[in-house]
Amino acid sequence: MDEIKIAEAVFRIFRERRQGCVDYMLNGNVKSMEHYRELMGNLECLNHVEQELKSLLDKQEQSND
């Protein structure tokens, strides 16, 4: 059960960070194209790591069945 609580906390952090980046961009705070690319890279990284974690959790769940 502890793994589930940890995963939920990590997913919540991912959502909050992702929303923070999106809000930052939507509010017109992007200062340059380089800054925009950095923010988009952050979003891409968050999405990638989240998908990897979901995949690992799915594999663990299947092996427990």
Side-chain angles (χ1 to χ4, degrees):
M1 253 344 187
D2 290 333
E3 297 90 4
I4 293 173
K5 289 181 182 180
I6 291 170
E8 288 173 348
V10 171
F11 288 133
R12 186 180 72 251
I13 291 168
F14 286 155
R15 282 191 306 273
E16 290 170 358
R17 296 285 293 224
R18 189 173 20 253
Q19 191 60 51
C21 283
V22 170
D23 290 345
Y24 189 83
M25 289 189 290
L26 290 176
N27 288 324
N29 296 317
V30 179
K31 296 172 182 31
S32 65
M33 187 56 133
E34 183 178 310
H35 188 213
Y36 172 78
R37 287 182 183 144
E38 179 184 341
L39 291 167
M40 291 303 292
N42 289 340
L43 289 171
E44 187 175 331
C45 182
L46 287 167
N47 289 334
H48 178 72
V49 173
E50 182 177 30
Q51 288 303 316
E52 289 294 321
L53 182 56
K54 284 180 180 179
S55 176
L56 289 171
L57 290 171
D58 287 343
K59 287 179 185 176
Q60 182 182 5
E61 185 177 315
Q62 290 174 2
S63 70
N64 288 340
D65 289 343

